[in-house]
Amino acid sequence: KCMSAGLELLGDGQEVRVTLHEGKFHQIKRMIASRGAAVCRLERLSMGTLVLDETLERGQYRLLTGEEVLKIGGKHEKKRETNKPAKMN
């Protein structure tokens, strides 16, 4: 079972904003289909506390900063100095 989700109708009701706290495989599509409608387009606005960079055009991307990686639960790799050889195990 998933955590609850929020649903907000936008404009004439042809668009909705769905807020998920925990997403499962195609959850939004299944939720909308259960009400007799179809999903034409999905747009992720945020993931955890990380908000989409609004300066990016559709289809563009950029690398995350170390701080952003930590915000989504990843591990930040420290850059090693280039003049020191890497340790081999």
Side-chain angles (χ1 to χ4, degrees):
K1 186 168 179 161
C2 296
M3 295 175 72
S4 63
L7 181 71
E8 175 187 356
L9 294 176
L10 303 176
D12 63 359
Q14 295 294 309
E15 292 185 41
V16 296
R17 179 183 307 252
V18 179
T19 304
L20 292 180
H21 299 282
E22 174 188 31
K24 300 291 183 181
F25 187 70
H26 295 284
Q27 181 178 351
I28 293 176
K29 292 177 183 178
R30 290 193 319 259
M31 288 168 46
I32 300 299
S34 74
R35 299 295 178 242
V39 173
C40 299
R41 181 178 70 123
L42 286 174
E43 185 175 327
R44 181 185 297 271
L45 302 177
S46 65
M47 182 173 175
T49 59
L50 182 64
V51 178
L52 179 68
D53 184 340
E54 293 182 8
T55 64
L56 296 175
E57 296 292 327
R58 184 176 301 271
Q60 286 186 314
Y61 66 94
R62 66 168 176 77
L63 296 178
L64 297 176
T65 66
E67 184 179 320
E68 290 169 332
V69 170
L70 292 174
K71 281 184 175 183
I72 60 172
K75 293 182 181 178
H76 175 57
E77 291 186 20
K78 292 182 181 178
K79 292 182 181 177
R80 65 179 175 86
E81 295 179 32
T82 55
N83 59 348
K84 292 184 180 179
K87 290 183 180 178
M88 300 297 285
N89 292 333

